Structure formats: C-alpha cells, structure tokens
Amino acid sequence: TLRQSAPLMVNGVARSAVISFDVLVIDLALGPHDVGIYGVASKPAFFVTSAVGLFSLAFLSAFSATGHEEAAALHGRALRRAFGVSVLVAAGVCVSSLFIPVVFGQRYEAAIPVLAILAWRIPPAVLSGTYGSVLIARDRQIDLMRNSITVAAFVAA
C-alpha cells in the first residue's frame, strides 16, 4: 500500500511546497509585515483553490465510473465548463479584493493588488486538478508525481 501511494504522497508534498514557498521567500526578502499582507491576500484565493480540489475529487469519481469512449467527452466538457467558471470566479475575486480594507482595516490596503494577482492562480488550479484526476483514474500516479516535482522545482527556481 505504501509503495502504491508513495507517488500521491510525493505529489502532495510537492504541491504543499509550491503553496508555501512564496511565504518563505517573502519573509526572507521583505520581512514579517509583508508576510502578513500576503497572508490576508492569499486566504480568499486559497479558499477557492481548495474548493477546486473538491471539484477534482468529484470529477475523479465521475471520470472513473465512465466508460473509456465517454471519458474523453466528459473530460473535455469538464475542462471547458470548469475553466470558464474559474475565470469568472477569478475575476470576481479580483473585484472583491477592493473590500479588503473594509473587512481587515486600512492597514491591509496593500493586499488589494496581491489578491488581484493571486486570484489568477484559480484557473490553472482547475486545469491541474482535472488533469491530475485523469492521471489518477488512468493509474498514472508516477506521471502526476513527476509533473508536481517539475512544477515545484520551477516555482523554487
């Protein structure tokens, strides 16, 4: 069981490294105040990308239960619809960034452009989650692990 689940564990570690790496870099380069600004800005975007994980799980179930012929059509439909919705959600999160000072106070006004930028992580997260679900359903966890390691190395560089 451990041998079979190791690629998914490495995938999870690599994805966590991608999400956390920027906090470390911001702290080292700019200091704790800017990490606080980033933390406020990142919460809404990370909430939505976590919801994307739920979509990916639901898609994995549906994709796994679908016959091979219908799977490609389901994958295409899911990608188009989820990507379209994710672009609308990202745009909505960008607009909602203007409410940061109302919710957190004027001290966090600098988080507005940060959230507006982080919101655009949502559409790639949708594509990545859907593609990852296809790889898992097709028993290609090692490919998923390699992709996640490559992304983590790219982000670190």
Side-chain angles (χ1 to χ4, degrees), residues 40 96-109 112:
V40 165
S96 72
S97 69
L98 298 172
F99 295 105
I100 287 176
V102 174
V103 175
F104 294 102
Q106 292 298 327
R107 296 182 327 186
Y108 290 98
E109 191 172 17
I112 293 171

Side-chain angles (χ1 to χ4, degrees), residues 4-145:
Q4 288 177 336
S5 64
L8 292 177
M9 182 182 69
V10 171
N11 172 56
V13 169
R15 290 183 67 209
S16 296
V18 167
I19 291 170
S20 321
F21 188 75
D22 45 3
V23 173
L24 177 65
V25 171
I26 291 168
D27 185 42
L28 293 174
L30 302 174
H33 177 266
D34 289 324
V35 170
I37 296 293
Y38 182 83
V40 165
S42 67
K43 295 303 179 214
F46 287 147
F47 173 78
V48 174
T49 55
S50 296
V52 167
L54 295 175
F55 167 76
S56 296
L57 187 61
F59 173 72
L60 174 61
S61 298
F63 188 80
S64 297
T66 304
H68 197 66
E69 296 81 31
E70 298 89 23
L74 175 63
H75 184 220
R77 268 193 325 273
L79 274 178
R80 285 189 301 277
R81 290 178 183 168
F83 185 74
V85 168
S86 71
V87 168
L88 293 175
V89 169
V93 170
C94 281
V95 171
S96 72
S97 69
L98 298 172
F99 295 105
I100 287 176
V102 174
V103 175
F104 294 102
Q106 292 298 327
R107 296 182 327 186
Y108 290 98
E109 191 172 17
I112 293 171
V114 177
L115 176 56
I117 292 168
L118 289 177
W120 294 102
R121 283 185 170 185
I122 297 167
V126 165
L127 296 176
S128 171
T130 307
Y131 178 64
S133 294
V134 169
L135 290 177
I136 291 169
R138 296 291 182 238
D139 199 28
R140 296 181 56 192
Q141 290 87 348
I142 292 176
D143 292 334
L144 178 63
M145 177 186 72

